[in-house]
Amino acid sequence: PHHWIRFSGREYLLANGVKYQLQSVDKCALGEKYVMPASGKQNFTLTFSPINAKVTTMDWTSDSADGWKIIGIKIDKPVK
């Protein structure tokens, strides 16, 4: 609660060696701090460049040394 986060714009999804760049976030501008609400929870919609429909797993990563990393995200249904 009340801590800030930031999407730098250097985040991307990585699948089969291809980077799918983060383009926008619905609750804040890229590069700006977002202060979390009192609940400490917030849903975000992230928009990336179009992903190949055959992708079944991907990693969330960043070119930043202190960026978030989530490895092995599985897609149950291929992206259309």
Side-chain angles (χ1 to χ4, degrees):
H2 308 294
H3 288 269
W4 63 267
I5 64 169
R6 176 179 15 228
F7 296 95
S8 69
R10 294 166 52 183
E11 299 88 357
Y12 57 90
L13 298 173
L14 181 63
N16 301 324
V18 177
K19 290 182 180 181
Y20 299 94
Q21 197 66 43
L22 176 63
Q23 295 179 335
S24 65
V25 180
D26 69 335
K27 302 280 191 288
C28 59
L30 295 177
E32 291 185 6
K33 291 180 181 178
Y34 176 85
V35 178
M36 296 298 287
S39 68
K41 298 177 183 180
Q42 180 62 60
N43 292 324
F44 293 94
T45 299
L46 309 174
T47 302
F48 292 87
S49 53
I51 299 171
N52 184 309
K54 295 180 182 178
V55 169
T56 58
T57 61
M58 63 184 75
D59 300 332
W60 161 279
T61 191
S62 172
D63 287 333
S64 174
D66 60 350
W68 302 349
K69 297 190 182 348
I70 303 172
I71 308 301
I73 300 167
K74 181 181 174 188
I75 300 173
D76 290 331
K77 295 181 181 178
V79 177
K80 292 183 181 184

